[in-house]
């Protein structure tokens, strides 16, 4: 799987955030294997997560056409946490204790993953995270398939510095764990490369923020100091819509102040006039425009399943594709849905991705996917053209983030996610 840490941001075997595969109890004798889907279908994150719910339904349908798993059909159990962070824990507990699901795929934000964990201690889970996230945490029952900062944010900053000659940086994010931790890492990284504090502007806004006029005006002023300036966006959910509209309203063009986003895809931009956004960037591991046989087949089947030729695909969806395939293989390898057996089986499991390669859940004990491709694409009225970057193995440490240098996740030997190799104890 892609190295996606169980460290903070999205949850279970899933996407742009998110699946938190949980296995509650050893599966009882039943006619089907239940799979929990824990994505917000209402509220501020519904714009991003509803598609992930549909993706899981599609993947389960496809697997059932192949005969299911272990001779049993898969049964989807869908709940709506409604972008309400405490409700995620309640709904996850419901899936595990009441519905008796064998795995849970879902979540998006790190705060959800962190709220979820305390409420589910004592329950056995096989979670998978499909969205990029900040890292810095690791749990035995969580597997990460999304990109960590060194696989997405750091390469994006390197690209802007090299190709766009950027010298001033606006780190704009939604006010929760992932943006704050990612920006902490980026700030340290930029300073390690000689960027001064006065050349870094950091701003956070609440979920669902709609009034961007003053903030965008401040960004515009910050970018008028005579140095090339760029926006690095970790803004999440439906707040992206008014943000990009305001960039257009104030005439901020990519040639003057380019922006690169880590959590924006076609779904979030649907209905926006993208012509003013020409040249702005998104950094993902996957884009719908990728020209591979596997991606073409996936898109065709996806559109047929949704009965909508205009439905698009995005990076978190591909993470769900990878995470789900890995979970299926692990269950088949273990010949059981028993959580302990599936958890032990997942490391080393490989699954084809949509970009033409193979993703692998790192055989090392940290439960992060290795070998993630980072791709960047410029926004066009019709997205096309993708730049490839070499795969980057998921690791915690990035230059400048020295507070992580002695920590490892080791669920095989040390049975913990934050082992200090220097002090030989849990952090």
């Amino acid at each position: 799987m892609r190295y996606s840490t169980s460290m903070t941001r999205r949850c279970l075997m899933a996407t742009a955030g998110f699946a938190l595969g949980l296995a509650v109890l050893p599966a009882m004798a039943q006619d089907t294997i239940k799979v929990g889907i824990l994505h917000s279908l209402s509220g501020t994150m519904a714009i991003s997560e509803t598609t992930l719910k549909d993706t899981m339904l599609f993947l389960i349908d496809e697997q059932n056409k192949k005969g299911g798993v272990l001779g049993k059909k898969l049964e989807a159990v869908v709940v709506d946490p409604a972008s309400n962070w405490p409700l995620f824990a309640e709904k996850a507990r419901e899936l595990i204790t009441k519905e008796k699901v064998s795995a849970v795929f879902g979540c998006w934000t790190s705060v959800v993953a962190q709220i979820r964990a305390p409420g589910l201690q004592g329950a056995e889970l096989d979670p998978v995270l499909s969205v990029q996230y900040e890292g810095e945490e690791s749990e035995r029952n969580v597997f990460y398939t999304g990109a960590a900062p060194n696989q997405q944010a750091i390469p994006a900053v390197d690209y802007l510095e090299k190709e766009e000659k950027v010298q001033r940086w606006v780190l704009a994010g939604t006010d929760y764990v992932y943006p704050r931790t990612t920006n902490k890492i980026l700030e340290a990284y930029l300073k390690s490369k000689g960027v001064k504090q006065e050349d870094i502007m950091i701003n956070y806004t609440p979920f669902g923020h709609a009034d961007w006029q003053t903030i965008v005006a401040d960004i515009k002023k910050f970018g008028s100091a005579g140095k090339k300036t760029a926006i690095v966006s970790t803004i999440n959910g439906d707040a992206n819509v008014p943000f990009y509209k305001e960039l257009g309203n104030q005439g901020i063009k990519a040639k003057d102040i380019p922006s690169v986003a880590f959590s924006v895809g076609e779904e979030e931009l649907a209905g926006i006039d993208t012509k003013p956004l020409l040249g702005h960037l998104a950094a993902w591991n996957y884009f719908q425009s990728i020209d591979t046989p596997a991606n073409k087949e996936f898109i065709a089947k996806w559109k047929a399943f949704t009965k909508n030729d205009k439905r698009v695909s995005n990076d978190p969806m591909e993470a769900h594709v990878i995470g789900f395939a890995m979970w299926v293989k692990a269950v088949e390898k273990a010949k059981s849905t028993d959580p302990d057996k599936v958890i032990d089986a997942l490391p080393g499991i490989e699954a084809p991705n949509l970009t033409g390669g193979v993703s692998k859940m790192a055989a090392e004990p940290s439960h992060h996917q290795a070998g993630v491709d980072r791709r960047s694409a410029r926004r066009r009225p019709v997205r096309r053209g993708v730049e490839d970057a070499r795969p980057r193995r998921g690791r915690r440490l990035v230059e400048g983030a020295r507070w992580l240098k002695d920590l490892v996740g080791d669920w095989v030997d040390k049975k913990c996610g934050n082992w200090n190799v220097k002090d030989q104890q849990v952090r």
Side-chain angles (χ1 to χ4, degrees):
M1 300 179 142
R2 306 177 161 178
Y3 174 98
S4 113
T5 69
S6 77
M7 302 180 191
T8 37
R9 175 161 177 183
R10 325 240 168 190
C11 306
L12 186 48
M13 270 211 177
T15 206
F18 333 128
L20 124 101
L22 330 162
V24 184
L25 303 166
M28 300 173 64
Q30 52 188 16
D31 295 333
T32 62
I33 295 174
K34 291 185 176 182
V35 176
I37 301 175
L38 186 67
H39 280 302
S40 291
L41 310 181
S42 57
T44 186
M45 294 307 298
I47 190 173
S48 300
E49 295 192 61
T50 299
T51 290
L52 298 179
K53 177 267 296 181
D54 293 340
T55 302
M56 285 305 304
L57 294 178
F58 164 65
L59 294 173
I60 289 171
D61 182 69
E62 287 292 300
Q63 187 63 37
N64 282 338
K65 289 177 181 177
K66 301 174 185 176
V69 179
L70 301 181
K72 295 183 178 182
K73 293 297 181 72
L74 301 179
E75 177 186 350
V77 182
V78 179
V79 295
D80 177 16
S83 304
N84 181 322
W85 316 143
L87 190 57
F88 268 85
E90 180 181 328
K91 290 296 183 181
R93 192 180 301 109
E94 175 186 322
L95 287 171
I96 297 168
T97 60
K98 180 180 178 181
E99 298 293 345
K100 302 293 190 291
V101 299
S102 294
V104 177
F105 290 79
C107 305
W108 183 290
T109 64
S110 309
V111 67
V112 168
Q114 293 179 341
I115 288 175
R116 169 191 54 76
L120 298 176
Q121 287 179 356
E124 293 294 341
L125 321 173
D126 312 328
V128 182
L129 282 176
S130 54
V131 178
Q132 81 277 17
Y133 85 117
E134 70 280 3
E136 295 194 35
E137 84 174 37
S138 180
E139 297 179 24
R140 178 178 179 270
N141 56 343
V142 178
F143 291 83
Y144 306 84
T145 57
N150 65 306
Q151 296 171 312
Q152 182 187 33
I154 295 296
V157 164
D158 288 343
Y159 174 87
L160 288 171
E161 181 184 45
K162 180 180 178 181
E163 301 297 332
E164 303 288 346
K165 311 302 180 188
V166 171
Q167 296 177 291
R168 304 198 91 195
W169 304 85
V170 178
L171 308 182
T174 300
D175 192 6
Y176 76 104
V177 178
Y178 164 68
R180 284 191 174 273
T181 305
T182 296
N183 287 342
K184 179 182 178 181
I185 292 171
L186 288 179
E187 183 181 14
Y189 181 69
L190 290 170
K191 288 180 177 179
S192 76
K193 295 170 72 66
V195 177
K196 297 180 180 180
Q197 182 65 55
E198 57 262 34
D199 289 325
I200 302 174
M201 171 183 171
I202 302 176
N203 183 80
Y204 296 103
T205 49
F207 281 99
H209 189 70
D211 184 3
W212 289 93
Q213 187 172 353
T214 300
I215 295 170
V216 171
D218 289 343
I219 292 173
K220 192 173 183 178
K221 181 179 179 181
F222 184 78
S224 65
K227 295 181 179 180
K228 184 70 173 184
T229 301
I231 304 166
V232 179
S233 172
T234 49
I235 298 167
N236 272 256
D238 55 12
N240 279 292
V241 175
F243 171 69
Y244 280 105
K245 284 184 177 180
E246 190 60 35
L247 289 183
N249 291 342
Q250 297 198 27
I252 294 182
K253 301 183 183 302
K255 65 182 180 64
D256 301 318
I257 304 179
S259 69
V260 60
F262 303 150
S263 300
V264 175
E266 286 83 349
E267 289 285 342
E268 289 80 1
L269 295 180
I272 297 179
D273 179 8
T274 57
K275 291 181 181 178
L277 305 181
L278 179 66
H280 288 298
L281 296 156
W284 288 103
N285 307 314
Y286 164 88
F287 287 105
Q288 178 174 288
S289 57
I290 290 171
D291 187 12
T292 64
N295 191 41
K296 289 179 180 178
E297 180 182 8
F298 171 80
I299 291 172
K301 289 183 176 180
W302 165 245
K303 290 182 177 180
F305 174 79
T306 60
K307 297 180 174 61
N308 185 349
D309 194 52
K310 294 184 179 181
R311 286 296 291 269
V312 295
S313 55
N314 60 28
D315 178 274
M317 289 173 62
E318 194 221 13
H320 259 327
V321 169
I322 295 168
F324 180 75
M326 288 182 172
W327 175 77
V328 169
K329 286 192 172 186
V331 170
E332 292 175 339
K333 178 180 178 180
K335 296 181 173 59
S336 171
T337 57
D338 178 89
D340 287 324
K341 294 179 180 179
V342 174
I343 288 170
D344 290 341
L346 269 165
I349 291 287
E350 296 183 352
N353 55 45
L354 301 181
T355 61
V358 174
S359 296
K360 181 178 182 179
M361 181 57 69
E364 61 191 32
S366 64
H367 293 182
H368 295 105
Q369 176 181 249
V372 182
D373 289 310
R374 190 272 301 159
R375 300 167 184 266
S376 61
R378 292 192 176 274
R379 298 195 188 289
R380 295 177 170 84
V382 177
R383 187 190 297 276
R384 64 184 184 279
V386 175
E387 296 179 15
D388 293 312
R390 67 181 178 84
R392 292 175 174 245
R393 184 176 181 79
R395 297 179 60 237
R396 291 189 177 190
L397 184 61
V398 297
E399 187 176 354
R402 308 314 302 172
W403 62 89
L404 301 176
K405 68 184 181 69
D406 296 322
L407 298 179
V408 299
D410 186 345
W411 290 105
V412 174
D413 296 325
K414 304 301 182 183
K415 309 299 183 186
C416 78
N418 288 291
W419 180 258
N420 190 306
V421 296
K422 182 178 179 179
D423 300 335
Q424 290 294 295
Q425 62 183 10
V426 178
R427 180 176 72 167

